[in-house]
Amino acid sequence: MRMPRGGARFVISFLALPIIIYVIFVIAPYLQAFYLALTDWKGITASPKFVGFKNFEVLFSDSVFWKAVLHHGILLLVLPLVTLIIALFFAFLLNMGAGTKGVRGSRFYQAVFFFPQVLAVAVIGVLFQAMYRPDKGGVLNGLLDLVGVEPIGWLTKPNLALWMLIAVLVWQAVGFYVVLFAAGMASIPKEIVEAAQLDGCSKGRMFFQVTLPLLWDTMQVAWVYLGIAAFDGFAIVQVLSVDRGGPDGSTTVLPLEIWRNAFTFSKYGYASAMGVALFVLSLTFAVLTLRVTRRERIEY
């Protein structure tokens, strides 16, 4: 179908301003970061010294960088998987299967699940600082004390702190995906569900053979979003972790190290090199995920 005369000009007139804004505020900063990664800029001099790939050579031999990458790997494996499993489970319970109107009060439950999404990170930090307090005054240790268990340093033990932060990230994220999946399940035509029930399909089989295939596109996007979130984690680590990424670097992540190198050590060139590495990791993950999980779209 050919575009009417003047149609292209009309479309361009609407797209020009958003594209210009996107280039100025998104593309240009990225390009500037790529350039700064090749310099030794300290944030003061007007003309930074060009050092080529020296920052990347230092970066790839930096044990803190690789420790942060390892933490992102753990986050990448655990955060999307656990969040999606819990969200799918609760969404299925709220809808009692695909294509139904849901249980009584499902709207209220969805609002309750979504509530952590509207809380500021500072508020979440205060809540979980009270939850994870290392003495008997903490919520978790208070419960353990009732059964005679000594208090545990949830955020002070290097082998435990990262998992406690992952739990916070899961708690914060689950509600959004419960609402997302519940909406997707509710939009599945009732006729498909009734046909499956007439064929003797149980609730379990219906979930795996009807609901999941029809929600595949939504799950694919959710996995990418959660994977990108796994490459972040800055705010929660900054607020909750001991000594910002501790103890002993056991919870550090790349965004935190970028912030530390830029605003604490004034190594803006090195911090930009870290940012470029983080950009490449995030983009690679998104492209590979979309490629590996691509499948034929089911129309209904």
Side-chain angles (χ1 to χ4, degrees):
M1 181 177 179
R2 295 183 60 184
M3 184 175 293
R5 181 177 297 178
R9 189 181 305 167
F10 177 78
V11 172
I12 292 173
S13 67
F14 272 92
L15 292 179
L17 182 58
I19 290 175
I20 292 172
I21 293 175
Y22 185 80
V23 168
I24 293 175
F25 292 103
V26 179
I27 303 299
Y30 271 123
L31 295 177
Q32 186 178 23
F34 294 153
Y35 166 69
L36 291 177
L38 303 176
T39 70
D40 67 345
W41 191 47
K42 304 297 183 183
I44 300 174
T45 57
S47 56
K49 179 182 176 182
F50 185 81
V51 295
F53 292 98
K54 182 179 179 180
N55 285 327
F56 292 98
E57 293 175 3
V58 175
L59 182 66
F60 294 142
S61 61
D62 187 349
S63 60
V64 176
F65 168 76
W66 290 112
K67 183 179 288 188
V69 171
L70 174 62
H71 295 160
H72 285 299
I74 296 172
L75 282 164
L76 196 58
L77 289 174
V78 178
L79 179 60
L81 185 62
V82 174
T83 301
L84 292 182
I85 289 175
I86 296 175
L88 281 169
F89 175 73
F90 283 117
F92 189 73
L93 289 182
L94 290 177
N95 283 272
M96 295 301 291
T100 64
K101 294 181 179 179
V103 298
R104 179 178 296 180
S106 62
R107 298 288 185 184
F108 170 76
Y109 295 130
Q110 289 181 34
V112 171
F113 281 123
F114 192 79
F115 180 68
Q117 285 287 315
V118 303
L119 293 179
V121 175
V123 175
I124 294 175
V126 171
L127 289 175
F128 279 91
Q129 281 173 355
M131 183 77 69
Y132 290 154
R133 275 182 58 176
D135 54 26
K136 295 179 182 180
V139 176
L140 292 181
N141 282 325
L143 294 174
L144 292 178
D145 183 60
L146 295 177
V147 294
V149 179
E150 290 296 318
I152 297 173
W154 302 102
L155 297 176
T156 58
K157 292 182 177 295
N159 60 344
L160 189 60
L162 181 63
W163 299 102
M164 294 297 99
L165 297 185
I166 291 175
V168 177
L169 292 171
V170 171
W171 176 83
Q172 184 183 22
V174 159
F176 175 82
Y177 294 99
V178 169
V179 174
L180 181 67
F181 292 147
M185 292 178 186
S187 68
I188 295 175
K190 191 175 182 180
E191 293 78 10
I192 296 178
V193 179
E194 292 175 347
Q197 291 173 340
L198 289 175
D199 288 339
C201 191
S202 64
K203 288 290 184 182
R205 287 183 60 193
M206 186 178 299
F207 176 75
F208 288 103
Q209 298 182 8
V210 177
T211 305
L212 281 184
L214 295 177
L215 283 179
W216 187 260
D217 289 345
T218 304
M219 288 184 59
Q220 183 187 48
V221 174
W223 192 281
V224 172
Y225 283 172
L226 284 167
I228 294 174
F231 283 110
D232 184 13
F234 169 80
I236 292 297
V237 175
Q238 173 82 337
V239 172
L240 274 178
S241 67
V242 176
D243 195 26
R244 294 174 179 170
D248 195 25
S250 60
T251 59
T252 192
V253 289
L254 282 178
L256 182 65
E257 292 304 322
I258 293 171
W259 175 85
R260 196 195 312 273
N261 278 280
F263 300 108
T264 302
F265 305 132
S266 296
K267 297 180 179 179
Y268 288 89
Y270 188 64
S272 297
M274 275 193 175
V276 170
L278 180 60
F279 170 79
V280 172
L281 288 172
S282 302
L283 185 62
T284 302
F285 164 78
V287 172
L288 288 178
T289 301
L290 292 174
R291 178 65 64 87
V292 171
T293 60
R294 184 171 57 187
R295 57 182 291 180
E296 185 178 352
R297 184 180 179 87
I298 300 176
E299 300 289 346
Y300 60 88

